[in-house]
Amino acid sequence: MVDLTAGKYFIQNKLNGFRLFYNDDREELGCFDGQMFEDQLWFISKKSNGYYSIVRDRKHLCYDGCALSMTDVARDNSLWVFEEDSESKGFVRIINKVYNDYVFYAAEEDELNGSGDENDDQVWLLIRKSD
């Protein structure tokens, strides 16, 4: 497991360079590969037992076993662990506490979701934004 300092991060996919975003006005969660915008900044904070919350616009990234979404209420399915990728130093896999699935983004299908199978599209770079 990777120990992170609480702060604002861009979450960028290693395979395709897309960054995770959430736009509260449009209620849209997805990935974007262009310029870095404010809606791509996530606040990551440590909770308990090595788990973290991933928050944007006071909403928590969560996973129900079928889809990623945003929720107003923090629950166990909105807790995550960051595991260092064994093949790429400095990169992580983001794993849901409840379902033990990895966050992935498949650019060709424009699909952001979770999966229990390990694939290259599940490797992410956390880029800390200085305050």
Side-chain angles (χ1 to χ4, degrees):
M1 285 190 275
V2 175
D3 189 29
L4 292 176
T5 302
K8 290 183 179 180
Y9 291 84
F10 291 100
I11 303 172
Q12 183 168 312
N13 190 276
K14 178 187 176 195
L15 183 65
N16 50 52
F18 282 69
R19 287 175 304 283
L20 191 64
F21 77 87
Y22 176 70
N23 185 295
D24 193 38
D25 293 335
R26 296 189 313 259
E27 295 185 352
E28 182 182 8
L29 174 64
C31 285
F32 182 73
D33 69 339
Q35 184 177 344
M36 289 180 165
F37 291 106
E38 183 71 23
D39 65 359
Q40 299 166 18
L41 275 175
W42 296 81
F43 187 75
I44 298 175
S45 62
K46 194 169 194 171
K47 296 305 174 187
S48 61
N49 298 324
Y51 291 100
Y52 293 83
S53 65
I54 303 173
V55 177
R56 168 103 199 113
D57 290 335
R58 295 181 304 276
K59 293 191 178 179
H60 301 261
L61 181 67
C62 68
Y63 180 65
D64 66 5
C66 295
L68 287 167
S69 62
M70 301 298 287
T71 181
D72 293 324
V73 181
R75 295 190 174 94
D76 278 354
N77 70 340
S78 65
L79 292 175
W80 305 88
V81 67
F82 298 96
E83 177 182 90
E84 187 166 3
D85 182 57
S86 60
E87 297 177 10
S88 304
K89 188 169 176 61
F91 290 86
V92 298
R93 293 180 185 269
I94 305 169
I95 307 164
N96 184 262
K97 176 183 179 179
V98 174
Y99 296 96
N100 208 36
D101 283 355
Y102 304 93
V103 174
F104 75 87
Y105 180 68
E108 290 181 12
E109 295 83 17
D110 190 28
E111 181 182 9
L112 175 65
N113 210 337
S115 172
D117 301 323
E118 283 195 27
N119 296 303
D120 291 340
D121 58 8
Q122 299 166 340
V123 181
W124 300 87
L125 176 63
L126 303 176
I127 305 166
R128 182 138 196 245
K129 184 176 187 303
S130 57
D131 296 326

